Short mmCIF file of all heavy atoms in Angstrom, two decimals:
data_model
loop_
_atom_site.label_atom_id
_atom_site.label_comp_id
_atom_site.label_asym_id
_atom_site.label_seq_id
_atom_site.Cartn_x
_atom_site.Cartn_y
_atom_site.Cartn_z
N PHE A 42 31.45 100.55 22.33
CA PHE A 42 30.17 99.91 22.06
C PHE A 42 30.11 98.53 22.71
O PHE A 42 31.15 97.90 22.97
CB PHE A 42 29.92 99.80 20.55
CG PHE A 42 29.69 101.13 19.89
CD1 PHE A 42 30.63 101.64 19.01
CD2 PHE A 42 28.55 101.85 20.15
CE1 PHE A 42 30.41 102.88 18.39
CE2 PHE A 42 28.32 103.09 19.55
CZ PHE A 42 29.28 103.60 18.67
N ASN A 43 28.91 98.04 23.00
CA ASN A 43 28.69 96.72 23.58
C ASN A 43 29.36 96.51 24.94
O ASN A 43 29.85 95.42 25.25
CB ASN A 43 29.12 95.62 22.58
CG ASN A 43 28.37 95.71 21.29
OD1 ASN A 43 27.15 95.82 21.28
ND2 ASN A 43 29.10 95.71 20.19
N GLY A 44 29.44 97.57 25.73
CA GLY A 44 30.02 97.49 27.07
C GLY A 44 31.54 97.35 27.09
O GLY A 44 32.11 96.94 28.08
N SER A 45 32.19 97.74 26.00
CA SER A 45 33.65 97.63 25.94
C SER A 45 34.31 98.94 26.31
O SER A 45 33.65 99.95 26.52
CB SER A 45 34.09 97.19 24.52
OG SER A 45 33.78 98.22 23.60
N GLY A 46 35.60 98.92 26.39
CA GLY A 46 36.38 100.14 26.69
C GLY A 46 36.39 100.49 28.17
O GLY A 46 36.16 99.62 29.02
N SER A 47 36.63 101.75 28.46
CA SER A 47 36.65 102.20 29.85
C SER A 47 35.24 102.18 30.40
O SER A 47 34.26 102.35 29.66
CB SER A 47 37.21 103.62 29.92
OG SER A 47 38.53 103.68 29.47
N ILE A 48 35.16 101.99 31.70
CA ILE A 48 33.84 101.94 32.37
C ILE A 48 33.81 102.97 33.49
O ILE A 48 34.81 103.19 34.18
CB ILE A 48 33.57 100.54 32.96
CG1 ILE A 48 32.17 100.45 33.59
CG2 ILE A 48 34.64 100.11 33.91
CD1 ILE A 48 31.77 99.06 34.06
N CYS A 49 32.67 103.62 33.64
CA CYS A 49 32.43 104.53 34.74
C CYS A 49 31.19 104.02 35.46
O CYS A 49 30.10 104.00 34.87
CB CYS A 49 32.22 105.94 34.23
SG CYS A 49 31.95 107.14 35.56
N GLN A 50 31.34 103.60 36.72
CA GLN A 50 30.21 103.12 37.50
C GLN A 50 29.80 104.17 38.51
O GLN A 50 30.60 104.57 39.34
CB GLN A 50 30.63 101.83 38.26
CG GLN A 50 30.99 100.68 37.35
CD GLN A 50 31.05 99.38 38.09
OE1 GLN A 50 30.12 99.02 38.82
NE2 GLN A 50 32.12 98.64 37.88
N VAL A 51 28.57 104.62 38.38
CA VAL A 51 28.08 105.68 39.27
C VAL A 51 26.77 105.24 39.95
O VAL A 51 26.07 104.38 39.45
CB VAL A 51 27.85 107.00 38.54
CG1 VAL A 51 29.15 107.55 37.97
CG2 VAL A 51 26.83 106.86 37.43
N ILE A 52 26.50 105.86 41.08
CA ILE A 52 25.22 105.70 41.74
C ILE A 52 24.35 106.81 41.18
O ILE A 52 24.77 107.96 41.11
CB ILE A 52 25.37 105.84 43.28
CG1 ILE A 52 26.24 104.69 43.78
CG2 ILE A 52 24.01 105.86 43.94
CD1 ILE A 52 26.60 104.82 45.24
N PRO A 53 23.13 106.47 40.72
CA PRO A 53 22.24 107.53 40.16
C PRO A 53 22.08 108.69 41.11
O PRO A 53 22.26 108.55 42.31
CB PRO A 53 20.94 106.78 39.92
CG PRO A 53 21.36 105.37 39.69
CD PRO A 53 22.52 105.16 40.63
N GLU A 54 21.67 109.80 40.55
CA GLU A 54 21.58 111.09 41.22
C GLU A 54 22.98 111.67 41.37
O GLU A 54 23.31 112.32 42.36
CB GLU A 54 20.86 111.03 42.59
CG GLU A 54 19.40 110.64 42.49
CD GLU A 54 18.57 111.61 41.64
OE1 GLU A 54 18.76 112.83 41.68
OE2 GLU A 54 17.72 111.11 40.88
#
Side-chain angles (χ1 to χ4, degrees):
F42 292 111
N43 301 311
S45 66
S47 298
I48 183 175
C49 181
Q50 298 194 49
V51 297
I52 296 172
E54 295 301 321

